[in-house]
Amino acid sequence: ALATLNAMIDEWQNESLMIYTRTRNVYSLVSGTQTYTLGPGGAFALDPRPVRIDIATIINLANPAMPLELPLEMFTTERWAGIPVKNVQSALPLGVYDDGGFPLRNLSYYPIPNVAVQTALYTWTALSRFADLVTNYTFPPGYEKAIRYNLALDLAPEYGRPLQAVVAAQAVSSKAKVKAINVPL
């Protein structure tokens, strides 16, 4: 049951409307360095590795009292491949390429910053996996019921048990309510 529960939570991480918040993480970029790893043990140590980066920005520190945060273009693979000379340097990068690698993502900034700047990554924050079945966990509103009834939906066939229609309806309804509250403004 614990393995099925964690598999369900893992699957929900790929559904944007099951993500309850986006987190802003700020990292320093080293002058002359283009590529950084993101995830557990990476240059940008974030655990767990985020499923998605919604927005990346560059933070200009020229005026430390009022740092300026500017959006970066999130380069597609085609756009990144189309840049003929990737080792160009500048004070501020214009974009970042995320290769989506696993277990670590590789983020390549272009142009390569040649001054001290920071980057902010706005990433999906999903529910954490369950360590065991006895620890008490807290959830954003609506998730507890969605977890309970959707787990019942997933477990019924594994244990050869019939699924009552009311349980299936509660699973669908509770998950729909969570998704409704998570629709971005």
Side-chain angles (χ1 to χ4, degrees):
L2 180 61
T4 301
L5 171 61
N6 282 326
M8 181 184 75
I9 296 299
D10 182 60
E11 180 182 36
W12 285 5
Q13 290 185 35
N14 293 322
E15 296 181 48
S16 66
L17 294 180
M18 292 306 291
I19 303 301
Y20 64 92
T21 190
R22 274 69 174 167
T23 303
R24 180 179 184 260
N25 302 284
V26 177
Y27 303 98
S28 294
L29 299 182
V30 177
S31 176
T33 301
Q34 183 168 50
T35 303
Y36 299 83
T37 52
L38 171 66
F44 300 163
L46 189 56
D47 191 9
R49 171 196 170 275
V51 172
R52 183 179 175 116
I53 300 169
D54 274 339
I55 300 168
T57 65
I58 199 72
I59 302 170
N60 185 343
L61 302 172
N63 181 355
M66 295 178 62
L68 179 64
E69 186 170 351
L70 302 167
L72 289 172
E73 179 183 348
M74 296 291 291
F75 294 144
T76 63
T77 301
E78 292 77 15
R79 173 83 166 89
W80 181 247
I83 298 172
V85 180
K86 293 178 177 56
N87 63 354
V88 173
Q89 292 195 10
S90 176
L92 294 176
L94 301 172
V96 61
Y97 171 64
D98 173 12
D99 75 352
F102 186 85
L104 297 173
R105 303 177 95 93
N106 292 292
L107 303 177
S108 299
Y109 290 83
Y110 178 82
I112 302 166
N114 57 14
V115 297
V117 292
Q118 293 179 322
T119 188
L121 305 175
Y122 294 79
T123 61
W124 286 10
T125 303
L127 294 177
S128 298
R129 295 173 60 95
F130 291 81
D132 54 53
L133 295 175
V134 295
T135 302
N136 287 325
Y137 294 90
T138 57
F139 308 101
Y143 277 84
E144 184 175 355
K145 187 173 184 178
I147 291 168
R148 175 173 295 183
Y149 282 92
N150 281 277
L151 180 60
L153 192 70
D154 282 1
L155 287 175
E158 287 190 40
Y159 287 92
R161 307 296 273 173
L163 185 66
Q164 296 178 4
V166 67
V167 173
Q170 286 291 329
V172 170
S173 171
S174 60
K175 192 172 178 186
K177 288 177 183 172
V178 166
K179 287 182 171 187
I181 199 69
N182 288 341
V183 171
L185 299 175

